[in-house]
Amino acid sequence: MDMNVKTILLGLLTLSFIQCTTRTADTTIGYKFSNQEKLVFEDIDYPEILGDIMQVIKIDSLLLINDYYGDSLLTVFNLNSNKIERKLLGQGDGPNELLSPLEVLLLDNNLWILSRPIHLLNHLSTQSIHKSPKLVRDLQAKTEADCFVPLTDTQFVLSGFWKKRYAWMNLQKSDELK
């Protein structure tokens, strides 16, 4: 073997055993915050809301809990009283009932709900959460639809099993899916 090749190999072998370390006195990750608050936690008794929770959405002092399993699929928990205020959606095919799993998203004054097994897009007014909620059935989405993002009250982006993975939908032109 050529002497230059031996020298290069010996140098590389030596370098592989050398560990490079540079330590600074500050062992934090590098974030510095100008404002800090102390967090205080309180125990509350909420065993009845512990189910198979898929999502939690906060609206003012309410938590909307999207439960995967049970008689009620959407529960309203009041943070001020630490109690369940009401159950919004039941499991089933009747009025104010849907099939689980749900995907729930908030946009402006509407809570948009996609019942994935039956590809049914629905919404509830956020004001109706405090009263008698009325589920509005907006559209039977195509079976390729899996998840969605509301852009406006009439326009949505759906992800799913299309060639390009995403589709745009306009409720005003419900037969149009691009």
Side-chain angles (χ1 to χ4, degrees), residues 86-149:
R86 68 178 342 125
K87 307 229 178 199
L88 292 180
L89 297 176
Q91 171 110 351
D93 293 323
N96 287 335
E97 293 181 337
L98 289 172
L99 297 179
S100 181
L102 304 178
E103 181 174 10
V104 182
L105 295 170
L106 179 66
L107 178 69
D108 299 327
N109 296 322
N110 286 315
L111 196 61
W112 292 94
I113 304 161
L114 178 66
S115 178
R116 286 186 182 156
I118 55 176
H119 308 286
L120 187 61
L121 183 64
N122 313 268
H123 79 275
L124 287 170
S125 163
T126 54
Q127 285 81 24
S128 75
I129 292 171
H130 301 286
K131 305 172 194 169
S132 298
K134 181 174 177 186
L135 183 68
V136 177
R137 298 182 189 263
D138 293 289
L139 177 75
Q140 181 70 48
K142 296 201 177 206
T143 57
E144 295 89 352
D146 187 44
C147 297
F148 76 106
V149 174

Coordinates of all heavy atoms in Angstrom, one line a residue, residues 86-149:
R86 N -73.5 19.7 29.7 CA -74.4 19.0 28.9 C -73.7 18.0 28.0 O -72.5 18.1 27.8 CB -75.3 19.9 28.1 CG -74.6 20.7 27.0 CD -75.4 21.6 26.2 NE -76.8 21.4 26.2 CZ -77.7 22.3 26.6 NH1 -77.3 23.5 26.8 NH2 -79.0 22.0 26.6
K87 N -74.5 17.1 27.4 CA -74.0 16.2 26.4 C -74.7 16.6 25.1 O -75.9 16.7 25.0 CB -74.4 14.8 26.8 CG -73.9 14.4 28.2 CD -73.1 13.2 28.2 CE -72.7 13.0 29.7 NZ -71.7 12.1 29.8
L88 N -73.9 16.9 24.0 CA -74.4 17.4 22.8 C -74.9 16.4 21.8 O -75.9 16.5 21.2 CB -73.4 18.4 22.2 CG -73.1 19.6 22.9 CD1 -72.1 20.4 22.1 CD2 -74.4 20.4 23.1
L89 N -74.0 15.4 21.5 CA -74.3 14.5 20.5 C -74.4 13.0 21.0 O -73.4 12.6 21.7 CB -73.3 14.5 19.4 CG -73.2 15.9 18.6 CD1 -72.0 15.8 17.6 CD2 -74.5 16.2 17.9
G90 N -75.4 12.3 20.7 CA -75.5 10.9 21.0 C -75.0 10.0 19.9 O -74.8 10.5 18.8
Q91 N -74.7 8.8 20.3 CA -74.3 7.8 19.3 C -75.5 7.2 18.6 O -76.4 6.7 19.3 CB -73.5 6.7 20.0 CG -73.2 5.5 19.1 CD -71.7 5.4 18.7 OE1 -70.9 6.3 19.0 NE2 -71.4 4.3 18.1
G92 N -75.7 7.3 17.3 CA -76.8 6.7 16.6 C -77.1 7.4 15.3 O -76.3 8.1 14.8
D93 N -78.3 7.1 14.8 CA -78.7 7.6 13.5 C -79.9 8.6 13.6 O -80.3 9.1 12.6 CB -79.2 6.5 12.6 CG -78.1 5.5 12.2 OD1 -77.0 6.0 12.0 OD2 -78.4 4.3 12.2
G94 N -80.3 9.0 14.8 CA -81.4 9.9 14.9 C -81.0 11.4 14.9 O -79.8 11.7 14.6
P95 N -81.9 12.3 15.2 CA -81.6 13.7 15.2 C -80.5 13.9 16.4 O -80.6 13.3 17.4 CB -82.9 14.4 15.6 CG -83.9 13.4 15.4 CD -83.3 12.0 15.5
N96 N -79.6 14.8 16.1 CA -78.5 15.1 17.1 C -77.7 13.9 17.5 O -77.2 13.8 18.6 CB -79.0 15.8 18.3 CG -79.4 17.3 18.0 OD1 -78.9 17.9 17.1 ND2 -80.3 17.8 18.8
E97 N -77.6 12.9 16.6 CA -76.8 11.7 16.8 C -75.9 11.5 15.6 O -76.3 11.8 14.4 CB -77.7 10.5 17.0 CG -78.5 10.5 18.2 CD -79.4 9.3 18.4 OE1 -79.7 8.6 17.4 OE2 -79.7 9.0 19.6
L98 N -74.8 11.0 15.8 CA -73.8 10.6 14.8 C -73.1 9.3 15.1 O -73.2 8.8 16.2 CB -72.8 11.7 14.6 CG -73.3 13.0 14.0 CD1 -72.2 14.1 14.1 CD2 -73.7 12.8 12.6
L99 N -72.3 8.8 14.2 CA -71.5 7.6 14.4 C -70.1 8.0 14.6 O -69.6 8.9 14.0 CB -71.6 6.7 13.2 CG -73.0 6.1 12.9 CD1 -73.0 5.2 11.7 CD2 -73.6 5.4 14.1
S100 N -69.5 7.4 15.6 CA -68.1 7.7 15.9 C -67.2 6.8 15.0 O -67.6 5.8 14.5 CB -67.9 7.2 17.4 OG -66.6 7.5 17.8
P101 N -65.9 7.3 14.8 CA -65.3 8.5 15.3 C -65.7 9.7 14.6 O -66.0 9.7 13.4 CB -63.8 8.2 15.1 CG -63.7 7.3 13.9 CD -65.0 6.5 13.9
L102 N -65.5 10.8 15.3 CA -65.8 12.2 14.8 C -64.5 13.0 14.7 O -63.6 12.7 15.4 CB -66.7 13.0 15.7 CG -68.1 12.4 16.1 CD1 -68.8 13.3 17.1 CD2 -68.9 12.1 14.9
E103 N -64.5 13.9 13.7 CA -63.5 14.9 13.7 C -64.2 16.2 13.9 O -65.2 16.5 13.2 CB -62.7 14.9 12.4 CG -61.7 16.0 12.4 CD -60.8 15.9 11.2 OE1 -61.1 15.2 10.2 OE2 -59.8 16.7 11.2
V104 N -63.8 17.0 14.9 CA -64.5 18.2 15.3 C -63.5 19.4 15.1 O -62.4 19.4 15.7 CB -65.0 18.2 16.7 CG1 -65.8 19.4 17.1 CG2 -65.9 16.9 16.9
L105 N -63.9 20.5 14.4 CA -63.1 21.6 14.2 C -64.0 22.9 14.4 O -65.2 22.9 14.1 CB -62.5 21.7 12.8 CG -61.5 20.6 12.6 CD1 -61.1 20.5 11.1 CD2 -60.3 20.7 13.4
L106 N -63.4 23.9 15.0 CA -64.1 25.2 15.3 C -63.6 26.2 14.2 O -62.5 26.4 13.9 CB -63.7 25.6 16.7 CG -64.2 26.9 17.2 CD1 -65.7 26.8 17.3 CD2 -63.6 27.3 18.5
L107 N -64.6 26.9 13.7 CA -64.4 28.0 12.8 C -65.4 29.1 13.1 O -66.6 28.8 12.9 CB -64.4 27.6 11.3 CG -64.2 28.8 10.3 CD1 -62.7 29.3 10.4 CD2 -64.5 28.4 8.9
D108 N -64.9 30.2 13.5 CA -65.8 31.4 13.8 C -66.9 30.9 14.8 O -66.6 30.6 15.9 CB -66.4 32.0 12.5 CG -65.3 32.5 11.6 OD1 -64.2 33.0 12.2 OD2 -65.4 32.5 10.4
N109 N -68.2 31.0 14.4 CA -69.3 30.7 15.2 C -69.9 29.3 15.0 O -71.0 29.0 15.4 CB -70.4 31.7 15.1 CG -69.9 33.1 15.5 OD1 -69.2 33.2 16.5 ND2 -70.3 34.1 14.8
N110 N -69.1 28.4 14.3 CA -69.6 27.1 14.0 C -68.6 26.0 14.5 O -67.4 26.2 14.4 CB -69.9 26.9 12.5 CG -71.1 27.6 12.1 OD1 -72.2 27.6 12.8 ND2 -71.1 28.4 11.0
L111 N -69.2 24.9 14.9 CA -68.4 23.7 15.3 C -68.7 22.7 14.2 O -69.9 22.3 14.0 CB -68.9 23.2 16.6 CG -68.1 22.2 17.4 CD1 -66.7 22.8 17.7 CD2 -68.8 21.8 18.6
W112 N -67.7 22.5 13.3 CA -67.9 21.6 12.2 C -67.5 20.1 12.6 O -66.5 19.9 13.3 CB -67.0 22.0 11.0 CG -67.5 23.3 10.5 CD1 -67.1 24.6 10.8 CD2 -68.6 23.5 9.5 NE1 -67.8 25.5 10.1 CE2 -68.7 24.9 9.3 CE3 -69.4 22.6 8.8 CZ2 -69.6 25.4 8.5 CZ3 -70.3 23.1 8.0 CH2 -70.4 24.5 7.8
I113 N -68.4 19.2 12.2 CA -68.2 17.8 12.7 C -68.3 16.9 11.5 O -69.3 16.9 10.7 CB -69.3 17.5 13.7 CG1 -69.3 18.5 14.8 CG2 -69.2 16.0 14.2 CD1 -70.6 18.5 15.6
L114 N -67.3 16.0 11.3 CA -67.3 15.0 10.3 C -67.5 13.7 10.9 O -66.6 13.3 11.8 CB -66.0 15.1 9.4 CG -65.9 14.0 8.3 CD1 -67.0 14.2 7.2 CD2 -64.5 14.0 7.7
S115 N -68.6 13.0 10.6 CA -68.7 11.6 11.1 C -68.0 10.7 10.1 O -68.5 10.5 9.0 CB -70.2 11.3 11.2 OG -70.4 9.9 11.6
R116 N -66.8 10.2 10.4 CA -66.0 9.5 9.5 C -66.6 8.3 8.9 O -66.4 8.0 7.7 CB -64.6 9.2 10.1 CG -63.8 10.5 10.3 CD -62.4 10.1 10.8 NE -61.6 11.3 10.9 CZ -60.6 11.3 11.8 NH1 -60.3 10.3 12.5 NH2 -59.9 12.4 11.9
P117 N -67.2 7.4 9.7 CA -67.7 6.2 9.1 C -68.7 6.4 8.0 O -68.8 5.6 7.1 CB -68.4 5.4 10.3 CG -67.9 6.1 11.5 CD -67.5 7.5 11.1
I118 N -69.6 7.4 8.1 CA -70.6 7.6 7.1 C -70.3 8.9 6.2 O -71.1 9.2 5.4 CB -72.0 7.7 7.7 CG1 -72.0 8.8 8.8 CG2 -72.4 6.4 8.3 CD1 -73.4 9.1 9.4
H119 N -69.1 9.5 6.4 CA -68.7 10.6 5.7 C -69.7 11.8 5.6 O -70.0 12.4 4.6 CB -68.3 10.2 4.2 CG -67.4 9.0 4.2 ND1 -66.0 9.2 4.5 CD2 -67.6 7.7 4.0 CE1 -65.5 8.0 4.5 NE2 -66.4 7.1 4.1
L120 N -70.3 12.1 6.7 CA -71.4 13.1 6.8 C -70.8 14.3 7.5 O -70.3 14.3 8.6 CB -72.5 12.5 7.6 CG -73.8 13.4 7.7 CD1 -74.4 13.6 6.3 CD2 -74.9 12.7 8.5
L121 N -70.8 15.4 6.8 CA -70.4 16.7 7.3 C -71.5 17.5 7.9 O -72.6 17.6 7.3 CB -69.7 17.6 6.2 CG -69.1 18.9 6.7 CD1 -68.0 18.7 7.6 CD2 -68.7 19.7 5.4
N122 N -71.4 17.9 9.2 CA -72.4 18.6 10.0 C -71.9 19.8 10.6 O -70.6 19.9 10.7 CB -72.9 17.6 11.1 CG -73.2 16.2 10.6 OD1 -74.3 15.9 10.2 ND2 -72.2 15.4 10.6
H123 N -72.8 20.6 11.2 CA -72.3 21.7 12.0 C -73.3 22.1 13.1 O -74.5 21.8 13.0 CB -71.8 22.9 11.2 CG -73.0 23.8 10.8 ND1 -73.7 23.6 9.6 CD2 -73.5 24.9 11.3 CE1 -74.6 24.5 9.5 NE2 -74.5 25.3 10.5
L124 N -72.8 22.6 14.2 CA -73.5 23.2 15.3 C -73.1 24.6 15.4 O -71.9 25.0 15.4 CB -73.2 22.5 16.6 CG -73.7 21.1 16.9 CD1 -73.1 20.6 18.1 CD2 -75.2 21.1 17.0
S125 N -74.1 25.5 15.7 CA -73.7 26.9 16.0 C -73.1 26.9 17.5 O -73.6 26.2 18.3 CB -75.0 27.7 16.0 OG -74.8 28.9 16.7
T126 N -72.1 27.6 17.7 CA -71.5 27.7 19.0 C -72.5 28.3 20.0 O -72.4 28.0 21.2 CB -70.2 28.5 19.0 OG1 -70.4 29.8 18.5 CG2 -69.1 27.7 18.3
Q127 N -73.4 29.2 19.6 CA -74.4 29.7 20.5 C -75.4 28.6 20.9 O -75.9 28.7 22.0 CB -75.2 30.8 19.8 CG -74.4 32.1 19.7 CD -73.5 32.2 18.5 OE1 -73.7 31.5 17.5 NE2 -72.4 32.9 18.6
S128 N -75.6 27.6 20.1 CA -76.6 26.6 20.5 C -76.0 25.6 21.5 O -76.7 24.8 22.1 CB -77.0 25.8 19.2 OG -76.0 24.9 18.8
I129 N -74.7 25.7 21.8 CA -74.1 24.8 22.8 C -74.7 25.1 24.2 O -74.9 24.2 25.0 CB -72.6 25.0 22.8 CG1 -72.0 24.5 21.5 CG2 -72.0 24.3 24.0 CD1 -70.5 24.8 21.4
H130 N -75.1 26.3 24.4 CA -75.7 26.7 25.7 C -77.2 26.4 25.8 O -77.8 26.4 26.9 CB -75.5 28.2 26.0 CG -74.0 28.6 26.0 ND1 -73.2 28.2 27.0 CD2 -73.2 29.2 25.1 CE1 -71.9 28.7 26.8 NE2 -72.0 29.3 25.6
K131 N -77.8 26.3 24.6 CA -79.3 26.1 24.6 C -79.6 24.6 24.2 O -78.9 23.7 24.6 CB -79.9 27.0 23.6 CG -79.6 28.5 23.8 CD -80.1 29.3 22.7 CE -79.5 30.7 22.7 NZ -79.7 31.5 21.5
S132 N -80.6 24.5 23.4 CA -80.9 23.2 22.8 C -80.2 23.1 21.5 O -80.6 23.7 20.5 CB -82.4 23.0 22.6 OG -83.0 23.1 23.8
P133 N -79.1 22.3 21.4 CA -78.3 22.3 20.2 C -79.1 21.6 19.1 O -79.7 20.6 19.3 CB -77.0 21.5 20.6 CG -77.4 20.7 21.7 CD -78.5 21.5 22.4
K134 N -78.9 22.1 17.9 CA -79.5 21.5 16.7 C -78.4 21.2 15.7 O -77.8 22.1 15.2 CB -80.6 22.4 16.1 CG -81.2 21.7 14.9 CD -82.4 22.5 14.4 CE -82.8 21.7 13.2 NZ -83.7 22.1 12.3
L135 N -78.2 19.9 15.4 CA -77.2 19.5 14.5 C -77.7 19.7 13.1 O -78.8 19.2 12.7 CB -76.9 18.0 14.7 CG -75.8 17.4 13.9 CD1 -74.4 18.0 14.2 CD2 -75.7 15.9 14.0
V136 N -77.0 20.5 12.3 CA -77.3 20.7 10.9 C -76.5 19.7 10.0 O -75.3 19.8 10.1 CB -77.1 22.2 10.5 CG1 -77.4 22.4 9.0 CG2 -77.8 23.1 11.4
R137 N -77.2 18.9 9.3 CA -76.5 18.0 8.4 C -76.3 18.7 7.0 O -77.2 19.0 6.3 CB -77.4 16.7 8.2 CG -77.5 16.0 9.5 CD -78.3 14.7 9.4 NE -78.6 14.2 10.7 CZ -77.9 13.3 11.3 NH1 -76.8 12.8 10.8 NH2 -78.3 12.8 12.5
D138 N -75.0 19.0 6.7 CA -74.7 19.8 5.6 C -74.5 19.0 4.3 O -74.9 19.5 3.3 CB -73.4 20.6 5.9 CG -73.7 21.7 7.0 OD1 -74.4 22.6 6.7 OD2 -73.1 21.5 8.1
L139 N -73.8 17.9 4.4 CA -73.4 17.3 3.1 C -72.9 15.9 3.4 O -72.2 15.6 4.4 CB -72.2 18.1 2.5 CG -71.6 17.5 1.2 CD1 -72.5 17.8 0.1 CD2 -70.3 18.1 1.0
Q140 N -73.3 15.0 2.5 CA -72.7 13.7 2.4 C -71.5 13.8 1.6 O -71.5 13.9 0.4 CB -73.7 12.7 1.8 CG -73.3 11.3 1.8 CD -73.2 10.6 3.1 OE1 -74.1 10.7 3.9 NE2 -72.1 10.0 3.5
A141 N -70.3 13.7 2.3 CA -69.0 13.8 1.5 C -68.8 12.5 0.8 O -69.3 11.5 1.1 CB -67.9 14.1 2.5
K142 N -67.9 12.6 -0.2 CA -67.5 11.4 -0.9 C -66.7 10.5 0.0 O -66.1 10.9 1.0 CB -66.6 11.8 -2.1 CG -67.3 12.6 -3.1 CD -66.7 12.6 -4.4 CE -67.5 13.4 -5.3 NZ -67.4 13.0 -6.7
T143 N -66.8 9.2 -0.3 CA -66.2 8.1 0.6 C -64.7 8.2 0.7 O -64.2 7.7 1.6 CB -66.7 6.7 0.2 OG1 -66.2 6.6 -1.2 CG2 -68.1 6.5 0.3
E144 N -64.1 9.0 -0.2 CA -62.6 9.1 -0.1 C -62.2 10.1 1.0 O -61.1 10.1 1.4 CB -62.1 9.7 -1.5 CG -62.3 8.8 -2.6 CD -63.6 8.9 -3.4 OE1 -64.5 9.7 -2.9 OE2 -63.7 8.3 -4.4
A145 N -63.2 10.9 1.5 CA -62.9 11.9 2.5 C -62.6 11.3 3.8 O -63.3 10.4 4.3 CB -64.0 12.9 2.7
D146 N -61.5 11.7 4.5 CA -61.1 11.2 5.8 C -61.0 12.3 6.8 O -61.4 12.1 7.9 CB -59.8 10.5 5.6 CG -59.4 9.8 6.9 OD1 -60.2 9.1 7.5 OD2 -58.2 9.8 7.3
C147 N -60.4 13.4 6.5 CA -60.2 14.5 7.4 C -60.6 15.8 6.6 O -60.6 15.8 5.4 CB -58.8 14.7 7.9 SG -58.3 13.2 8.9
F148 N -60.8 16.9 7.3 CA -61.2 18.1 6.7 C -60.7 19.4 7.5 O -60.4 19.3 8.6 CB -62.7 18.2 6.5 CG -63.4 18.6 7.8 CD1 -64.0 19.8 8.0 CD2 -63.5 17.7 8.8 CE1 -64.6 20.2 9.1 CE2 -64.2 18.0 10.0 CZ -64.7 19.2 10.1
V149 N -60.6 20.5 6.7 CA -60.3 21.8 7.4 C -61.3 22.8 6.8 O -61.4 23.0 5.6 CB -58.9 22.2 7.0 CG1 -58.6 23.6 7.6 CG2 -57.9 21.2 7.6

